[in-house]
Amino acid sequence: MNIKQAKQEITNTLRAYLTKDELGNYLIPSVRQRPVLLMGPPGVGKTQIMEQIAAETGVGLVSYTITHHTRQSAVGLPFIEKRTYGGREYSVTEYTMSEILSSVYQLMERTGLREGILFLDEINCVSETLAPMMLQFLQCKTFGNQKLPEGWLIVAAGNPPEYNKSVRDFDVVTLDRVKRIDVEADFGVWKEYARRRGLHGAVVSYLDIKKENFYRLENSVDGMRFATARGWEDLSELLYAYEKLGLAADRDVVGQYIQLPQVARDFAGYLELYRKYQKTYQVEAILSGTAPSVTALELGAAPFDEKLSVLGLMLSRLSEAAGNTRRQDALTERLHAALTELRDKLPQADAQTILGQLLWKRREKLRVAGEAGQLQKEERDLAQREIQILETYQTQLVSRDAKEADAVMELVRGWFSEEVDRREQLGTQCGEYFDNAFHFLEQALGQSQELVIFVTEITAGYDTSWFVENFGCDAYFRHNKELLFDDRRRQIRADIAAAKAAQQQEEQHHA
């Protein structure tokens, strides 16, 4: 299955394991809650989905790469304990708590979360001395005499032997005690994720054209050469940072992430073209409606791959503008909820006390989410922005010496209206970008397959689809309606052709 399906299956497993009966006992007894064994090629996204599942389900997450551990750190150190048996005292070997299990208990103490996921990466690459202990843990959920708390799902990840010479095979006894999920690389699923995370437009548009280069591993005389999903995502982050610093990523830089020389060379060449198209087609001018008419003529006469690259540039910029609008909308919603709570509590307490309580709750929620492994970058940034603005409100109220409820709310509403106005400004600007983009492409491409691709990509894009749904876009709805009509017409034609073929076969049979 692909990584998206694996994520859903693990989520379903977690929900099933944490479901309790009417007496408060887990519906599936702990002894029957099999660990999940997630097997798949390196860099396909196994670790990322653990973080996503924890964030979406609200459970804790403790992650370990097992290859970094020795038997002592995983199992614990021995010490001598005195025990009395049959009236005689004996020296007995005990073990301190495993560092791994200790981390689970520490997270529970710091966050108050009693349930979670213990993620053990590279499980089949453990050392020879640790291997028996890891197999025991998968089978019995214990390290030495210490047991994993109830309510914790074990997910162990590993690579098949064709990707790693150091892997160990699991025996039948172990495999019969785990829930095995095999994962394969899937560009379509990754592209959906890439849109959601806002990966660099050059990476997404290149892989759209060269899908075969998304995930490749090849053996050579110099060892394994590869291009992986992890490599493309990390390269995307670097490209953004380089652009901010005014630096250019050349073939050598690309090769540090995409370690398959021919693919690194190909993408580096595409990246140069991508930068060239940015200047030649002046995407900002297109979206602002100020591009010269000759630009549309140039795009109309360009090769198909060049058209796709320019579409990628435009979609990337539209997605960025739509994402800024969506995040400002989410911030406005959060601030509105906070200020509603301030208004409702003002008769009982002063504004400084209430705002102090609101800020404490938000900081504590942010801390717990971070320590529990639940915090995604966008959620972190949004929470930090909300806290900063509420802190500003608190400071300004002190400087204005505002204490009466009416005076406090009048000031706060004025400051809050600035955030609402910013949301409207971003939405209006983004709407103009959409209108100008469609107008330009209609001039350049007419009713071509490239325009169909553009509409389809807007529909599939996380931020662009959100914007169209919440702010509208007449040109999009018009083209999408035509696209749906064309699809329906093709389906009707196919049904008629199938019916005619069936009728001819029947006539031949009777003849």
Side-chain angles (χ1 to χ4, degrees):
M1 65 177 64
N2 61 49
I3 198 68
K4 183 178 181 180
Q5 293 168 329
K7 175 186 171 183
Q8 187 59 55
E9 183 59 34
I10 295 171
T11 301
N12 293 344
T13 301
L14 179 67
R15 291 179 59 196
Y17 286 1
L18 298 185
T19 299
K20 296 181 178 179
D21 62 21
E22 61 276 7
L23 298 176
N25 301 310
Y26 286 109
L27 197 62
I28 301 176
S30 179
V31 69
R32 297 298 176 197
Q33 293 185 6
R34 291 190 171 198
V36 173
L37 179 60
L38 188 61
M39 299 294 291
V44 77
K46 298 186 290 293
T47 303
Q48 284 88 337
I49 65 169
M50 293 301 110
E51 297 168 355
Q52 295 167 22
I53 293 170
E56 293 167 12
T57 58
V59 302
L61 174 66
V62 174
S63 299
Y64 273 97
T65 300
I66 291 303
T67 51
H68 298 167
H69 282 272
T70 64
R71 184 180 185 279
Q72 287 74 27
S73 64
V75 178
L77 294 172
F79 66 93
I80 304 301
E81 183 69 72
K82 297 293 184 180
R83 296 286 177 85
T84 301
Y85 300 118
R88 293 184 59 186
E89 187 176 73
Y90 295 88
S91 296
V92 179
T93 301
E94 292 282 355
Y95 285 87
T96 59
M97 180 176 283
S98 157
E99 177 186 332
I100 296 173
L101 293 185
S102 175
S103 295
V104 171
Y105 283 103
Q106 286 175 11
L107 184 140
M108 293 168 65
E109 289 296 319
R110 291 196 308 266
T111 66
L113 297 171
R114 314 309 297 176
E115 299 171 327
I117 301 170
L118 174 58
F119 179 60
L120 305 174
D121 202 6
E122 300 183 16
I123 188 68
N124 54 348
C125 294
V126 297
S127 64
E128 185 175 350
T129 57
L130 185 54
M133 298 299 101
M134 293 311 305
L135 297 182
Q136 177 198 359
F137 185 65
L138 291 178
Q139 293 176 18
C140 308
K141 302 179 185 176
T142 60
F143 277 132
N145 57 357
Q146 308 290 337
K147 189 174 180 63
L148 182 72
E150 283 193 331
W152 281 77
L153 166 67
I154 301 171
V155 179
N159 305 136
E162 60 265 31
Y163 299 107
N164 194 327
K165 297 178 182 178
S166 303
V167 302
R168 296 173 174 275
D169 290 329
F170 292 109
D171 57 32
V172 175
V173 175
T174 301
L175 290 174
D176 194 34
R177 286 171 168 79
V178 299
K179 177 175 180 174
R180 177 166 177 157
I181 299 176
D182 291 297
V183 184
E184 296 179 350
D186 186 313
F187 174 70
V189 170
W190 182 85
K191 183 180 175 183
E192 182 181 331
Y193 166 81
R195 289 194 193 101
R196 178 69 180 87
R197 292 292 296 267
L199 265 63
H200 197 282
V203 171
V204 177
S205 58
Y206 169 78
L207 292 175
D208 234 353
I209 298 169
K210 301 286 184 71
K211 295 179 178 62
E212 67 276 10
N213 290 339
F214 164 60
Y215 200 101
R216 288 174 59 179
L217 291 96
E218 297 178 4
N219 275 311
S220 70
V221 293
D222 297 319
M224 184 73 76
R225 300 296 187 187
F226 51 88
T228 68
R230 181 192 295 126
W232 289 114
E233 183 170 1
D234 291 348
L235 177 59
S236 169
E237 295 289 342
L238 185 81
L239 291 176
Y240 277 128
Y242 267 37
E243 288 174 357
K244 190 171 184 178
L245 294 170
L247 302 174
D250 58 17
R251 175 181 166 184
D252 290 336
V253 172
V254 173
Q256 295 161 12
Y257 292 82
I258 308 304
Q259 298 182 46
L260 191 61
Q262 60 268 38
V263 176
R265 181 170 57 249
D266 193 43
F267 177 72
Y270 177 83
L271 192 57
E272 290 183 8
L273 286 175
Y274 190 83
R275 298 189 192 107
K276 175 188 172 184
Y277 297 152
Q278 281 180 315
K279 296 178 181 177
T280 301
Y281 290 100
Q282 306 174 54
V283 172
E284 288 298 327
I286 292 172
L287 298 183
S288 63
T290 60
S293 56
V294 68
T295 307
L297 297 175
E298 290 175 352
L299 182 62
F304 181 68
D305 283 1
E306 185 169 328
K307 290 176 182 176
L308 287 185
S309 297
V310 175
L311 289 182
L313 281 165
M314 296 176 66
L315 286 163
S316 179
R317 187 67 184 87
L318 287 174
S319 181
E320 180 185 351
N324 290 337
T325 307
R326 178 181 58 79
R327 286 184 285 273
Q328 181 63 27
D329 179 79
L331 177 64
T332 305
E333 288 291 329
R334 287 191 176 212
L335 289 172
H336 182 266
L339 299 184
T340 299
E341 187 174 349
L342 171 64
R343 181 200 63 196
D344 294 343
K345 290 183 176 180
L346 269 176
Q348 291 80 38
D350 63 272
Q352 292 300 317
T353 300
I354 299 168
L355 284 172
Q357 293 171 345
L358 290 176
L359 283 165
W360 182 86
K361 289 178 183 177
R362 280 149 180 78
R363 293 188 190 110
E364 185 65 9
K365 182 179 179 181
L366 188 63
R367 180 193 68 80
V368 169
E371 292 191 354
Q374 301 171 350
L375 203 56
Q376 301 287 294
K377 181 180 183 298
E378 183 173 305
E379 175 62 23
R380 181 203 66 196
D381 293 349
L382 183 58
Q384 288 176 340
R385 288 181 65 194
E386 181 191 9
I387 289 170
Q388 287 176 350
I389 291 173
L390 290 177
E391 287 174 340
T392 301
Y393 290 175
Q394 191 178 39
T395 302
Q396 289 178 331
L397 286 173
V398 171
S399 65
R400 300 291 186 91
D401 196 27
K403 296 178 181 177
E404 296 296 326
D406 291 342
V408 167
M409 290 310 301
E410 183 179 356
L411 287 169
V412 169
R413 287 192 191 100
W415 299 327
F416 174 67
S417 67
E418 295 175 6
E419 300 298 331
V420 176
D421 291 344
R422 189 172 293 112
R423 172 191 178 277
E424 293 304 315
Q425 291 166 5
L426 289 171
T428 300
Q429 183 184 60
C430 189
E432 292 173 354
Y433 284 176
F434 270 80
D435 292 339
N436 291 330
F438 273 105
H439 178 70
F440 173 81
L441 292 177
E442 287 166 352
Q443 285 184 318
L445 306 175
Q447 299 300 317
S448 63
Q449 62 174 325
E450 292 90 345
L451 194 55
V452 172
I453 291 171
F454 186 72
V455 173
T456 303
E457 290 295 310
I458 288 176
T459 305
Y462 182 83
D463 288 318
T464 49
S465 62
W466 176 90
F467 182 84
V468 168
E469 181 180 351
N470 288 273
F471 285 80
C473 175
D474 291 340
Y476 166 83
F477 289 126
R478 183 176 70 253
H479 284 285
N480 196 42
K481 185 176 180 181
E482 292 170 358
L483 180 59
L484 292 173
F485 177 74
D486 289 342
D487 288 344
R488 179 59 180 157
R489 184 166 56 185
R490 282 193 291 270
Q491 183 62 49
I492 291 172
R493 287 175 176 172
D495 291 344
I496 292 173
K500 285 183 178 179
Q503 184 177 4
Q504 289 174 354
Q505 288 181 351
E506 187 174 352
E507 289 173 353
Q508 291 172 359
H509 176 72
H510 289 303

